[in-house]
Amino acid sequence: MVKISLLIAVYNSEAYLRTCLDSLLAQTYGEFQAICVDDGSTDGSPEVLNEYARLDPRITVISLPANMGQAVARNEGLKHAQGAYTAMLDSDDWLAPDALETAMKVIEENHQTDAVLFDLHYAYPDGHYKPYPHRFDQAFTGEEAFRLSLDWKLHGVYLIRTSIHKRFPYDTSARLYSDDNTTRLHYLACHEVRTSRAAYYYRQHEHSATHQVSMRRFDRMLADESMKQALEGMNIRDEDLNRFETYRWLVVVDSYGFYLNNRKTLGQQGSREALLLIRKYWQTIEVKRLPYSTRLKPGFIPFRCSWTMFRLEEWAYFTMKRLLRRSS
């Protein structure tokens, strides 16, 4: 009987895929299905997937005709999820042998728990590991987990009831960062969220899309706008909407800093597009939802009366930050 469904979106990850799949075959908990969705890979990933599917019937391979992005691929896998609980596993990451058993034990001992966080460890190319900087050993309400996820004191790698996951599939509004939205909506839908010591190893490498200088980095603002609309549709408390709007404003400011620091790499056309995007989302911020401490902080004053004033403020703020880093 399948109790856990694992969603694995695969795109050109041949170099790491065997480590990921071997970690599944080594699990001490066997009642799972691994739904591997090949997202139009052009390397040897499909051959590796099919090889493992022949080795173990718990591994299912679904192939998309073209690269659609992680959110689309994971949603395709979610359609086939049969387990009572579902987790995502990136194709370049891996699990400790007892990870699924440890996570399920928490669920079996706490029937009110809807989601169990894995114990996240960063895995670096030189072979060393670093635990996630914020570690808890307790339970949270869904609202508490949502608030802690706004600045990622709680990360987004977990095992969750499949019914909640299917109610809130992955947001496809943006190629990057859409899983951030999904995590927060999942937490809000949970009665209880618990941590665990089920180890998940999160590979760090320079090829990661979030480490690249590209226009995709501005997807954060698009994903946040989609998230805000979803939250408004859930009729959540004003306090939580205010928290998210503050987070959204910090992302707009951070995006301007990214633009300033990477104008040469983005090029003339890319820089122009980046400015248009930042201005668009700058205009959508509900200033009244921001706390006064944020509105009056140098570098974070909205200056809604003047885009030029806002740009001058950001230039001064990020120039000063750069000079302080050099002198330290």
Side-chain angles (χ1 to χ4, degrees):
M1 179 181 178
V2 173
K3 291 188 178 178
I4 298 174
S5 296
L6 293 156
L7 309 179
I8 307 172
V10 180
Y11 179 67
N12 289 351
S13 53
E14 179 185 7
Y16 312 111
L17 192 50
R18 292 182 184 277
T19 299
C20 173
L21 297 176
D22 283 342
S23 78
L24 295 182
L25 299 187
Q27 288 299 303
T28 56
Y29 187 90
E31 298 172 46
F32 69 85
Q33 62 172 160
I35 308 167
C36 304
V37 184
D38 179 59
D39 189 20
S41 294
T42 57
D43 66 356
S45 295
E47 288 75 17
V48 174
L49 291 175
N50 290 325
E51 174 190 334
Y52 276 78
R54 289 192 294 269
L55 285 173
D56 196 312
R58 294 174 299 179
I59 297 175
T60 299
V61 178
I62 298 170
S63 298
L64 300 183
N67 179 237
M68 306 294 290
Q70 277 192 337
V72 172
R74 288 171 179 163
N75 282 342
E76 188 61 34
L78 186 59
K79 295 176 185 176
H80 301 268
Q82 300 172 9
Y85 295 86
T86 296
M88 71 172 187
L89 173 62
D90 283 347
S91 58
D92 52 356
D93 299 340
W94 69 97
L95 298 172
D98 64 347
L100 297 184
E101 180 180 4
T102 301
M104 280 303 296
K105 185 177 180 181
V106 173
I107 288 171
E108 290 165 357
E109 293 176 351
N110 303 277
H111 298 299
Q112 296 298 310
T113 297
D114 294 309
V116 175
L117 274 77
F118 288 102
D119 187 14
L120 192 64
H121 297 263
Y122 295 120
Y124 292 90
D126 63 3
H128 85 277
Y129 301 93
K130 183 179 178 181
Y132 194 72
H134 306 288
R135 305 186 85 187
F136 302 92
D137 186 16
Q138 64 189 89
F140 303 95
T141 66
E143 282 194 0
E144 288 170 341
F146 165 77
R147 292 167 193 158
L148 288 168
S149 74
L150 289 178
D151 57 3
W152 296 121
K153 286 186 175 65
L154 280 190
H155 58 72
V157 184
Y158 48 78
L159 185 66
I160 191 168
R161 289 189 194 276
T162 301
S163 57
I164 293 176
H165 207 324
K166 290 194 173 185
R167 180 183 168 197
F168 297 104
Y170 290 102
D171 179 3
T172 58
S173 62
R175 283 246 174 171
L176 291 183
Y177 308 106
S178 60
D179 54 346
D180 294 358
N181 290 357
T182 304
T183 291
R184 290 163 178 149
L185 292 173
H186 283 178
Y187 286 156
L188 277 174
C190 287
H191 176 77
E192 183 178 87
V193 177
R194 285 185 178 269
T195 57
S196 79
R197 288 294 173 255
Y200 181 111
Y201 295 97
Y202 178 24
R203 191 186 299 273
Q204 305 294 294
H205 53 78
E206 60 185 10
H207 302 298
S208 169
T210 55
H211 293 161
Q212 303 295 310
V213 176
S214 79
M215 291 299 294
R216 292 273 69 86
R217 289 290 294 270
F218 299 101
D219 280 0
R220 288 177 70 188
M221 295 183 294
L222 173 61
D224 288 346
E225 178 68 12
S226 175
M227 174 71 175
K228 182 182 177 182
Q229 293 172 9
L231 291 175
E232 289 173 338
M234 294 174 70
N235 297 315
I236 68 169
R237 295 190 307 172
D238 257 12
E239 177 186 353
D240 289 329
L241 272 176
N242 293 346
R243 289 174 190 272
F244 186 74
E245 194 69 353
T246 302
Y247 165 81
R248 203 163 73 90
W249 174 235
L250 299 182
V251 168
V252 171
V253 172
D254 184 68
S255 296
Y256 200 96
F258 181 81
Y259 150 76
L260 283 175
N261 293 330
N262 296 283
R263 283 175 291 181
K264 289 183 179 179
T265 304
L266 291 170
Q268 188 174 20
Q269 180 64 26
S271 294
R272 186 160 43 244
E273 291 176 9
L275 272 180
L276 288 173
L277 284 170
I278 295 168
R279 184 173 187 174
K280 173 184 175 181
Y281 292 108
W282 168 76
Q283 291 173 324
T284 68
I285 296 295
E286 293 185 82
V287 175
K288 65 182 181 181
R289 291 192 178 277
L290 308 181
Y292 283 109
S293 59
T294 299
R295 292 188 225 174
L296 302 177
K297 183 179 178 181
F300 297 86
I301 303 170
F303 284 115
R304 289 299 295 278
C305 59
S306 173
W307 170 243
T308 300
M309 285 293 293
F310 173 69
R311 291 190 64 188
L312 286 171
E313 174 195 28
E314 297 312 298
W315 176 84
Y317 174 68
F318 285 104
T319 298
M320 185 62 67
K321 283 188 70 173
R322 190 164 54 250
L323 291 174
L324 288 173
R325 280 197 301 267
R326 288 177 182 173
S327 63
S328 61

